[in-house]
Amino acid sequence: MVERLVERIRNHDQRAMSELYQRYVGALTSVCYRYVPSESDAKDVLQNSFVKIFTALPTFDYRDEPSFKNWMVKVVVNESLHFLRGHKRIRLTDLHEADKLLADEGEQPDMEKISAEELHRLIRELPDGYRTVVNLYVFEGYSHEQIAALLGIKEATSSSQFYYAKRLLAKKIRNLKR
């Protein structure tokens, strides 16, 4: 089905473009919101992502639907990072700020009592640097070395942002239960 859509798009079928958009817009919107929490900015990033997808589609080497979807996700992630860098929105949290954010640590939270939706909401509330590193590491499967290269930071900075993000998330989850 998807392979046929791709072929139709390569033959300049506008309806196929619309069908592909409708098929994937929900999933790709979710990816976009993980990085760009502002609705209007996320819509812009998503639109730019689809333009890049449709522009690159003629040369894309289609193998199967999962690899195609992964490719589209990478386009959205890269476009989101491009947006954040361009708007100077990837601000990494320094250690002094992290200590203030985490001042009242307690026991580890019970993760089984929080929904996936609630966890995603809490991740969206993280400071930009934390949120970006968590998304790249957890959801996209990048290593800290790869994240460092993508963001132009040191590998240790990526690791520390992730470490402090996990601690801040744990604090936020504990606060939910109070």
Side-chain angles (χ1 to χ4, degrees):
M1 168 86 176
V2 174
E3 184 173 16
R4 179 81 179 110
L5 274 177
V6 170
E7 195 55 44
R8 287 173 48 210
I9 292 168
R10 286 179 177 156
N11 291 323
H12 310 288
D13 182 338
Q14 296 293 318
R15 251 183 66 203
M17 290 174 83
S18 178
E19 289 174 36
L20 186 85
Y21 176 86
Q22 292 303 319
R23 183 178 184 108
Y24 291 105
V25 70
L28 296 178
T29 298
S30 295
V31 170
C32 196
Y33 276 132
R34 286 199 317 251
Y35 295 91
V36 183
S38 158
E39 185 176 347
S40 63
D41 290 339
K43 285 180 179 180
D44 289 344
V45 169
L46 192 62
Q47 180 177 348
N48 291 339
S49 298
F50 271 105
V51 168
K52 288 199 175 189
I53 288 166
F54 289 131
T55 302
L57 206 52
T59 59
F60 178 74
D61 181 23
Y62 184 90
R63 283 179 244 132
D64 56 24
E65 185 175 0
S67 67
F68 179 66
K69 186 174 179 186
N70 287 339
W71 172 70
M72 290 193 303
V73 166
K74 282 188 180 200
V75 170
V76 172
V77 168
N78 288 335
E79 208 46 40
S80 297
L81 294 176
H82 177 74
F83 171 83
L84 292 172
R85 278 192 297 270
H87 289 81
K88 305 213 183 313
R89 302 265 300 271
I90 300 179
R91 190 173 85 47
L92 301 174
T93 305
D94 68 27
L95 297 179
H96 181 68
E97 284 181 76
D99 287 338
K100 286 192 284 185
L101 289 169
L102 299 169
D104 66 336
E105 273 195 84
E107 80 257 4
Q108 288 297 317
D110 184 1
M111 294 300 294
E112 293 185 14
K113 294 184 179 175
I114 186 167
S115 70
E117 183 177 296
E118 189 71 21
L119 182 59
H120 284 290
R121 184 185 64 76
L122 293 174
I123 291 170
R124 279 193 306 275
E125 293 174 359
L126 289 173
D128 295 335
Y130 288 179
R131 183 181 64 248
T132 302
V133 171
V134 164
N135 283 317
L136 290 170
Y137 188 81
V138 174
F139 297 105
E140 312 310 332
Y142 285 105
S143 68
H144 288 298
E145 181 180 6
Q146 292 168 314
I147 294 169
L150 272 172
L151 301 181
I153 59 176
K154 294 180 180 172
E155 188 174 342
T157 302
S158 175
S159 295
S160 68
Q161 293 291 298
F162 184 68
Y163 171 76
Y164 285 108
K166 288 190 310 185
R167 289 179 55 195
L168 182 55
L169 272 173
K171 177 183 174 184
K172 287 175 169 286
I173 292 167
R174 281 191 305 275
N175 288 341
L176 280 177
K177 304 303 174 192
R178 291 182 182 164

